[in-house]
Amino acid sequence: MYFTVSDKHDAVYHEAKYGSRLVISQRDILQAQLVTLLDQIVSFLEMAAVRDPEILLASGFDMTKERRGGSRVKAAAAARMAENADSKEGESGTQD
């Protein structure tokens, strides 16, 4: 799932440089989805690191102190809205 969203984000990111408001909106939604997915991946890594702390070093992630702000809540809400939109598209048969 992460790679699918990442590939979509890459394509939309480059299109958004031309200034289309719709594409910029799609880019922002995909970015929120990526943040949510990365948070999930990090949670799994943290759980695995309880048994083997070296897994964090092998993961490729940089270890930093977490600084969450209000923007993370907005991003999570946008990701949920995007997931709902994706599921509605799948129901209508127009999914990629």
Side-chain angles (χ1 to χ4, degrees), residues 2 12 17 19-20 34 40-41 46 57 60 68 71 73 75 81-82 86 89-91:
Y2 171 78
V12 170
K17 289 182 179 181
S20 168
L34 285 173
Q40 291 173 358
I41 291 169
E46 287 175 342
L57 297 174
R68 289 191 179 223
S71 63
V73 173
M81 287 181 6
D86 285 345
E89 285 178 8
E91 292 172 3

Side-chain angles (χ1 to χ4, degrees), residues 8-53:
K8 283 183 186 178
H9 176 265
D10 186 48
V12 170
Y13 177 82
H14 292 294
E15 282 184 48
K17 289 182 179 181
Y18 298 114
S20 168
R21 291 178 191 239
L22 177 63
V23 175
I24 291 171
S25 174
Q26 289 174 343
R27 178 199 63 194
D28 292 342
I29 290 170
L30 289 169
Q31 283 177 343
Q33 286 178 338
L34 285 173
V35 167
T36 301
L37 291 169
L38 286 170
D39 281 342
Q40 291 173 358
I41 291 169
V42 168
S43 294
F44 291 130
L45 283 172
E46 287 175 342
M47 286 188 296
V50 170
R51 294 185 66 122
D52 183 9

Side-chain angles (χ1 to χ4, degrees), residues 62-96:
D62 292 330
M63 292 183 280
T64 61
K65 185 175 180 179
E66 183 176 3
R67 295 183 188 135
R68 289 191 179 223
S71 63
R72 189 63 71 98
V73 173
K74 291 178 187 176
R80 279 193 297 275
M81 287 181 6
E83 287 175 6
N84 289 338
D86 285 345
S87 67
K88 287 180 184 175
E89 285 178 8
E91 292 172 3
S92 65
T94 59
Q95 188 177 13
D96 295 329

